[in-house]
Amino acid sequence: MEKAKVYYSDLRTSPNSNLLDKMERLLKRAGIEKLPLKDNFAAIKIHFGEPGNLAYIRPNYAARMANLLRTLGAKPFLTDCNTLYSGRRANAVDHLQSAMENGFNPISAQCQVIIGDGLKGTDYREIPLNGEYCPAPKIGTAIADADVIISMNHFKGHEQAGFGGALKNLGMGCASVGGKLELHASSQPKIDTGHCIGCNICVKHCAHDAVHLNAQRKAEIDYVKCVGCGQCVALCQHDAAVVSDWDTSERLNYKIAEYSLAVVKDKPHFHISFIMNVSPECDCWNHNDAAIIPDLGMLASADPVALDKACADMVTQTPILHSNNVLSTEHQHDDLCGCDKFHMMHPDTDWLAGLRHAEKIGLGTMEYELVKI
């Protein structure tokens, strides 16, 4: 494959050019105006941040993106899907409230905010992919129905995947709750009977008749019938239906790559990543630790694989901040560069393997040319 172009802008400003202006110039130079946006629904995939976390992308950038897309004739909306874990973004009501608290609302963001997989995380489309790990990824309906995909990515550390960038935002972020179960789990869900209240919702909504209440009115799963769709995990509001066994980091990254391909399959797409507040862990936590490195800038590309590789190269080539964060006392900078693995929170994380798999399945290329504007 030919080298993909990744465009880069630093964070220097002047009275005549603020960061929002620089972002818009970066997007235009990278080719966002070439997208078929006229009268098309454009999903702006962004992480709204768990309340209490302050490392997520500022809503001001999302508002400028929405305005730019609208001037180009699109119908933009901000979106994310519900979480598998029980936090303040596990259902659409709490998720929207959290988004509003963090500044993502129709007034500040100047476009509508839509939770991609519906009220309880069960609204999704299966995208036939015939993937090696995920035959038919479960993508949130609002995202699957969009005509154009735009990802706005906070490049940061991730406790299981290694780094979180465009592929993490697309592959994991666009998955429905059942899809997130498929990404994370190596086996079917289980019932924590201590939390089960016998509400029967998992029984009523199991499409495969695999769940029933026992004599103690506790849910039980018939694993002969269970297909591991994750519907019970998505619906349970009491943390009774939960992930059984977590998959390895390497396989997680392979799955993320295939889910990312499903999100953009047969659709125009474009991506921008912000190397700012590079926290050691995901924005899904209700806190953010001290940054690993200084803020570096914004990068944009039509190729999400090249974009992630460029961001990773830039991060690993930057001297680490030896501040008192969760990584500085446990890992040295040598663990982040000069090897095939990006070791963040777990030594078995192989983030590069996910990029290689993404390249193998045709999502993009790891070969890139960095163009500074």
Side-chain angles (χ1 to χ4, degrees), residues 25-238:
R25 285 201 303 274
L26 175 69
L27 293 169
K28 290 179 177 179
R29 180 71 183 277
I32 197 169
E33 294 172 304
K34 298 177 183 178
L35 295 174
L37 294 167
K38 180 67 174 175
D39 297 326
N40 280 333
F41 292 102
I44 305 173
K45 173 59 183 73
I46 195 168
H47 195 303
F48 299 129
E50 191 76 11
N53 188 302
L54 298 177
Y56 57 87
I57 299 171
R58 290 175 182 265
N60 312 66
Y61 294 108
R64 178 61 73 95
M65 174 69 82
N67 281 333
L68 174 60
L69 295 175
R70 192 178 296 107
T71 61
L72 296 173
K75 301 177 188 297
F77 63 95
L78 294 179
T79 189
D80 197 4
C81 287
N82 293 309
T83 61
L84 179 61
Y85 64 88
S86 59
R88 290 194 55 195
R89 297 179 301 116
N91 62 79
V93 173
D94 294 337
H95 203 158
L96 286 171
Q97 180 64 35
S98 298
M100 285 191 289
E101 288 180 19
N102 284 345
F104 299 96
N105 57 68
I107 297 175
S108 62
Q110 301 181 38
C111 69
Q112 294 301 315
V113 180
I114 300 173
I115 303 305
D117 58 344
L119 183 63
K120 298 179 180 179
T122 59
D123 192 3
Y124 63 87
R125 299 264 192 273
E126 290 191 353
I127 309 297
L129 199 64
N130 196 29
E132 184 178 350
Y133 301 92
C134 305
K138 304 173 181 66
I139 306 302
T141 298
I143 297 169
D145 285 350
D147 303 305
V148 180
I149 303 296
I150 307 291
S151 73
M152 299 187 72
N153 319 295
H154 175 215
F155 196 83
K156 58 195 172 297
H158 188 270
E159 53 278 7
Q160 189 176 11
F163 281 135
L167 298 195
K168 166 71 168 50
N169 191 23
L170 291 168
M172 188 175 291
C174 295
S176 66
V177 171
K180 288 182 173 67
L181 177 69
E182 181 179 28
L183 287 166
H184 283 295
S186 58
S187 61
Q188 296 149 308
K190 66 178 181 181
I191 302 296
D192 183 342
T193 55
H195 289 160
C196 180
I197 66 168
C199 68
N200 215 40
I201 191 170
C202 56
V203 177
K204 290 180 180 178
H205 291 274
C206 180
H208 305 279
D209 194 30
V211 191
H212 63 275
L213 296 185
N214 60 23
Q216 289 74 43
R217 290 196 60 78
K218 300 289 186 179
E220 288 185 352
I221 297 176
D222 181 347
Y223 289 106
V224 174
K225 297 179 179 179
C226 177
V227 299
C229 70
Q231 188 90 334
C232 55
V233 177
L235 289 167
C236 183
Q237 301 298 301
H238 305 283

Side-chain angles (χ1 to χ4, degrees), residues 12-18:
R12 299 299 303 274
T13 63
S14 72
N16 299 320
S17 178
N18 60 39

Side-chain angles (χ1 to χ4, degrees), residues 325-338:
N325 63 41
V326 71
L327 292 184
S328 61
T329 56
E330 299 179 14
H331 300 276
Q332 295 301 313
H333 196 46
D334 289 343
D335 292 326
L336 295 176
C337 62

